[in-house]
Amino acid sequence: MSELRKVNVDGKEIEVPGHYTLMQACEEAGAEIPRFCYHERLSVAGNCRMCLVEWVGAPKPMASCAMSVNDLRPNRDGTPANIRTDSAVVKKAREGVMEFLLINHPLDCPICDQGGECDLQDQAMGYGRGRTRYDEPKRAVEEKNMGPLVKTNMTRCIQCTRCVRFISEVAGVEELGLVNRGENAEITTYLQANLTSELSGNVIDLCPVGALTSRPYAFNARPWELVKTESVDVMDAVGSNIRVDSRGSEVMRILPRNNDDVNEEWISDKTRFVWDGLKRQRLDKPFVRKNDKLVPASWGEALDVVAKRLKGDPERMAAIAGDLCDMESMKALKDLMGSLGVTSLDCRQDGAAIGGQGNGQGREGYLFNSGIAGIDKADAILLIGTNPRMEAPIINARIRGVWLHGEADIGVIGQAADLTYPYEHLGTGPADIAAFAKKRGGFAARFKKAKNPMIIVGMGALSRPDGAQVLREVGELAAKMKIVREDWNGFNVLHTAAARVGGLDIGFIPTNGGKNTDDILIAAKAGEIDTVYLLGADEIDMSALGKAFVIYQGSHGDAGAHRADVILPGAAYTEKDGLYTNTEGRMQDGFRSVFPKGEAREDWAILRALSDTLERTLPYDDLEGLRATIRRPDASAFDPAKLGKSGKVTGKAFASPVTDHYLTNPIARASAVMAACAANTLGVREAAE
């Protein structure tokens, strides 16, 4: 912590840390400082000059973003330096800067997608002159093709370089830069290539002038037409905080909300642009298979057919929950199956060996225990069987951030990949986990000496046939390295599914000898299971279900609906209130922004109605009553060495379960924008090869 310094801002004396910039000090004193290039999470550029303030006695105004309080000297009489943010000098300087910025800016406001949310508009009104003195022709800049997500109008660009700094510092890819000098300066992609980063859409939010806007959203709506709903994302297990903007019955766009403990103010491109998949390939009415064809049916008819099938032998029935389910729907299905005596149920579509080992390890055995914000405290990070850039881009950006500031070394056991930061590749498979503990030099030595070491194990290590044994190897390594202490728990599981932790918390796993997902599929193929209830489960091998009767409840016509004998149309995550628990165990509320399509209903309500038809009525009539029954496991003593199962591991190398970041779930696969992103990434990869 730097020494506190006194400074006088507009006649108000305050005391702030010496490392504060003048901008921070002025805002601490309650003054408003305009800015274009400055951003709290990016390096200081100091090139827009809009933040000029007057240091009384200095020959000219100062850029407040690029000067610290420590740079100020006291007045000759020993009193604190005087800073003015509202003097005539400052007013004239800001008017001059604004006039300069607007010299070449086109009058596009009526047709610009940034209209209504434009920093340039707002600051021109607040700090600019009423008219311009320039009559010369404006310059024009050639448009750039940045790919399927970012639409450009570079004539509007004021070279604030926010986009350049974000792409290089946060996203970690050198794909944008400033070329030429003077009036010929312009921002462009290198070699006219498309942006490929999974975080590239954030440059749209960062651009203060409308030079970079959303291509899929272009000309669709104005901000004052939209209803704004705060919610959470389900495209991965991070639980990014988002704002869903809707008009009528349509979701028009998705934007990030700031949460420093989860996603800061960034979201992945899949989170931001998947909204067009919410209106394609939707299930909007019940269907029943007749004569090998799915035909529309009434809700009463569909529920009667399902109820008839669920009145059979409970040992020949099973239920699997998908990756996008809210906790309420899983709890309702668990309660319904429990009332029928069904014990074969699982929320782990990929067969991951987590939760339910019966070893008393509780939640800490499957959580990101350090917390996402805890990455900032780590000084050594070991990634095992995970590619966070594909599985959780926001977490990957956090890891890059802690590396960028020189605070962490990183090692990888698993697939070699471009993670946007350097790392020491320590091996590819389970055998390298035990070997790591015996290493002496390099990253291993730094990991052993680290104050806050962290292990992040992914589904590429745990969703294998030997996943339970791999988990034991990782747990024993964690115990040996003493990464679990009273003041620090560095054992972290990185999930890929938004529903996974919530499902494990409520116990949506096999009980009393019930079968897990892999065993359910084996039994169904062998004819030992007659009925399978799929709650939004689309990522399993549908051909392995054999001749089993399949009930599919979900929002999109994906793999599960194609295989189903009965379809019960549910609501997407933007169409219902729901609880989601992210990979670190943080329970968050998702809120409905639009109503379900057609005859579709909220998932918990469908199950409640089905329980009536089955004459096994669930003991709650509304969402509040259902939530009151949700209980999460209590904290217990955690010993990572007792996780998983003892046994031999195979020599097979770890591989990330995410082969295509943009097409991991039914909503994403229904999105034309995500298909374009996947094609763009494939094209770039093929060109590189």
Side-chain angles (χ1 to χ4, degrees), residues 509-533:
I509 52 179
T511 57
N512 300 324
K515 298 176 174 60
N516 60 23
T517 298
D518 293 338
D519 293 336
I520 289 170
L521 296 178
I522 293 171
K525 193 167 188 176
E528 298 171 6
I529 285 184
D530 299 328
T531 304
V532 179
Y533 200 115

Side-chain angles (χ1 to χ4, degrees), residues 337-394:
M337 291 293 144
S339 70
L340 297 171
V342 178
T343 59
S344 297
L345 61 164
D346 205 345
C347 64
R348 304 163 297 185
Q349 282 189 103
D350 54 9
I354 45 176
Q357 279 95 25
N359 52 27
Q361 293 305 298
R363 302 180 77 218
E364 291 179 306
Y366 56 80
L367 290 185
F368 201 98
N369 292 294
S370 304
I372 296 172
I375 294 172
D376 299 341
K377 302 176 183 177
D379 47 1
I381 302 173
L382 176 62
L383 305 175
I384 301 177
T386 182
N387 179 343
R389 185 176 177 184
M390 294 290 105
E391 298 166 22
I394 296 298

Side-chain angles (χ1 to χ4, degrees), residues 511-586:
T511 57
N512 300 324
K515 298 176 174 60
N516 60 23
T517 298
D518 293 338
D519 293 336
I520 289 170
L521 296 178
I522 293 171
K525 193 167 188 176
E528 298 171 6
I529 285 184
D530 299 328
T531 304
V532 179
Y533 200 115
L534 300 181
L535 181 62
D538 293 271
E539 316 307 322
I540 60 175
D541 180 7
M542 296 298 169
S543 64
L545 292 172
K547 296 181 180 180
F549 187 89
V550 176
I551 304 154
Y552 180 79
Q553 179 179 328
S555 61
H556 283 69
D558 205 72
H562 285 290
R563 174 60 185 82
D565 295 289
V566 175
I567 294 176
L568 305 177
Y573 70 105
T574 56
E575 299 163 1
K576 59 186 175 182
D577 294 337
L579 295 174
Y580 300 92
T581 303
N582 72 352
T583 190
E584 62 181 348
R586 181 189 300 268

Side-chain angles (χ1 to χ4, degrees), residues 18-75:
H19 68 271
Y20 269 30
T21 63
L22 292 188
M23 179 183 289
Q24 290 173 306
C26 291
E27 292 185 337
E28 192 78 14
E32 182 180 281
I33 306 294
R35 82 290 300 268
F36 288 115
C37 68
Y38 178 80
H39 191 277
E40 291 82 354
R41 302 190 194 278
L42 303 176
S43 61
V44 174
N47 53 13
C48 79
R49 318 310 283 183
M50 196 64 206
C51 65
L52 293 174
V53 297
E54 180 187 6
W55 178 11
V56 177
K60 61 182 180 179
M62 306 291 178
S64 62
C65 70
M67 190 173 186
S68 74
V69 174
N70 280 331
D71 295 328
L72 300 175
R73 57 172 174 74
N75 297 322

Side-chain angles (χ1 to χ4, degrees), residues 55 64 231 278 294 339 358 441 464 509-510 512 515 575 581 610 620 624 651 674 681 683:
W55 178 11
S64 62
S231 191
L278 293 166
L294 286 168
S339 70
R464 303 157 34 114
I509 52 179
N512 300 324
K515 298 176 174 60
E575 299 163 1
T581 303
L610 178 58
Y620 28 79
E624 289 70 22
M674 291 299 99
T681 303

Side-chain angles (χ1 to χ4, degrees), residues 189-209:
T189 56
Y190 294 115
L191 303 176
Q192 304 296 311
N194 290 347
L195 296 177
T196 61
S197 170
E198 302 77 23
L199 298 168
S200 63
N202 290 289
V203 300
I204 297 167
D205 297 333
L206 288 171
C207 183
V209 297

Side-chain angles (χ1 to χ4, degrees), residues 481-507:
M481 297 291 183
K482 295 181 172 57
I483 69 167
V484 178
R485 312 186 301 262
E486 284 188 12
D487 60 335
W488 176 255
N489 187 340
F491 179 83
N492 300 297
V493 176
L494 179 57
H495 293 274
T496 57
R500 187 64 50 80
V501 173
L504 294 172
D505 278 352
I506 64 172

